[in-house]
Amino acid sequence: AWCADQIRKTMALARSLFRLPQPAVQSALRLCVAGAPAPSASLAARTFATSSPCSASADYVTVTRPAGKIAVIEMGRKPVNSLNTQLLTELKEALVSVENDPAIEAAVLTSSCKGIFSAGLDLTEMYKPASEAHLVNFWTSLQDCWLQLYTTRLAVVAAINGHAPAGGCLLSVSSDHRIMVDGKFQIGLNEAQFGLVAPFWFAEALERVVGPRVQEQMLQLGTLVTTKRALQTGLVDELVANDEELRNRALEVAASYAAIPGPSRSASKLLCRAGVAQHLKTRRQEDTMRFCAFAMRPDVQKGLGAYLASLKQK
């Protein structure tokens, strides 16, 4: 009786935070209490299904729905998926759209840009902004997107097809499982290299994945690590040989998550992540104002300008 009561409380928490329908909660409760077997995780390797935009105005994000309980969310802002306000907004909307589909339990997050998962935040959004309101809008869109990704009821598998510095690394560590193509690719929070400081919620999300010592070293040095080192530190969970293996393996892993009763799985996820998410929610305004003040400092603007100029020479 005590166990059933605790499960009911957990399911109620999941329902309130993940907006789960009551029938789904009751179904999961029956499975947990009765000990009924979970659905099979088998899924034949598939290529991605016919695509459809996540909204009528979506230019950079495409959602596909292979058979089963899995969706694929693909970023496509060429050449490198720089995270500007529009891409961040579209990514959040795609996550909301998929999450609102009761048939979907897991999502694969990936990129259509060859050799690039995401190059991180679009620094042109921060360099010589037209107004402080522009910076506020940009940073708020980043916060909104991250909170949606980090706390979604969906199990998210990051299929990392190439480089993932800075914000690209943030998307990765905010997912539930990370698979990366092996090769001459790098991943990490390298903000320190171009004069920025990773926000506290970037740092906390990273620490949960790699631990405090590796986190501290990576943040201070702005380290970008190789695929092999990423696997050693736990920054990624698996390496695969090529893009085809990446797609197939990501779908397989997503299917294994989708086979677990959704309410119990997502409630378990929340137990691990609620503290980090709540930390940002209670300090959003402070975080935004701090970012704006920091970004507008003359030395930071000078550093951004120099870094952007160096990119043009490559």
Side-chain angles (χ1 to χ4, degrees):
W2 178 86
C3 181
D5 182 60
Q6 292 302 307
I7 293 171
R8 288 189 185 93
K9 289 179 180 178
T10 301
M11 293 303 103
L13 177 62
R15 184 180 177 223
S16 66
L17 286 162
F18 291 111
R19 302 174 294 282
L20 296 170
Q22 184 64 32
V25 176
Q26 292 173 341
S27 175
L29 179 60
R30 287 194 296 271
L31 286 169
C32 293
V33 174
S40 171
S42 62
L43 177 73
R46 308 181 174 92
T47 54
F48 297 164
T50 303
S51 63
S52 60
C54 63
S55 69
S57 60
D59 296 320
Y60 300 135
V61 177
T62 302
V63 175
T64 61
R65 289 175 169 83
K69 301 178 180 180
I70 303 166
V72 176
I73 301 173
E74 191 171 54
M75 300 177 289
R77 186 183 179 224
K78 299 184 185 305
V80 294
N81 278 329
S82 293
L83 300 171
N84 68 348
T85 300
Q86 183 178 347
L87 176 52
L88 289 165
T89 300
E90 288 185 14
L91 181 53
K92 178 198 171 184
E93 290 175 351
L95 287 163
V96 171
S97 174
V98 173
E99 186 172 308
N100 287 340
D101 185 342
I104 301 299
E105 293 291 343
V108 174
L109 177 61
T110 192
S111 162
S112 63
C113 299
K114 182 68 175 176
I116 293 283
F117 180 66
S118 170
L121 300 184
D122 187 341
L123 298 182
T124 62
E125 294 270 27
M126 296 178 251
Y127 183 56
K128 295 183 178 179
S131 64
E132 184 175 324
H134 177 90
L135 285 175
V136 170
N137 186 46
F138 169 63
W139 200 249
T140 300
S141 69
L142 173 62
Q143 293 172 332
D144 288 343
C145 181
W146 179 78
L147 284 169
Q148 187 66 42
L149 173 61
Y150 199 68
T151 65
T152 178
R153 70 168 181 83
L154 303 167
V156 180
V157 178
I160 308 165
N161 61 308
H163 295 294
C169 180
L170 177 69
L171 296 179
S172 173
V173 299
S174 301
S175 301
D176 300 283
H177 194 94
R178 291 157 291 280
I179 308 170
M180 190 172 189
V181 173
D182 199 4
K184 296 181 179 180
F185 300 125
Q186 294 182 310
I187 183 172
L189 293 181
N190 63 324
E191 283 80 357
Q193 290 188 18
F194 41 89
L196 298 177
V197 177
F200 67 87
W201 41 286
F202 282 46
E204 290 174 359
L206 178 65
E207 181 183 5
R208 287 196 65 255
V209 173
V210 301
R213 180 55 184 152
V214 174
Q215 173 224 37
E216 184 177 339
Q217 287 179 319
M218 293 184 73
L219 292 178
Q220 285 197 51
L221 299 173
T223 305
L224 290 173
V225 299
T226 64
T227 55
K228 296 290 194 300
R229 179 61 177 161
L231 183 63
Q232 290 173 351
T233 60
L235 192 54
V236 300
D237 298 301
E238 302 179 44
L239 296 177
V240 293
N242 53 53
D243 287 351
E244 182 178 0
E245 287 188 18
L246 178 68
R247 290 193 295 269
N248 293 337
R249 180 58 183 155
L251 289 171
E252 289 174 0
V253 172
S256 70
Y257 277 90
I260 305 300
S264 58
R265 179 193 49 73
S266 55
S268 299
K269 173 178 178 175
L270 178 65
L271 289 175
C272 300
R273 296 187 173 211
V276 175
Q278 189 61 32
H279 196 190
L280 174 59
K281 289 179 180 179
T282 57
R283 296 177 59 187
R284 285 194 66 167
Q285 184 174 1
E286 174 193 344
D287 178 63
T288 301
M289 294 301 100
R290 180 175 295 178
F291 162 75
C292 291
F294 184 80
M296 290 303 296
R297 280 172 38 180
D299 59 323
V300 173
Q301 285 292 307
K302 181 179 179 180
L304 287 172
Y307 186 78
L308 290 170
S310 70
L311 293 180
K312 292 179 181 179
Q313 296 173 0
K314 293 183 178 180

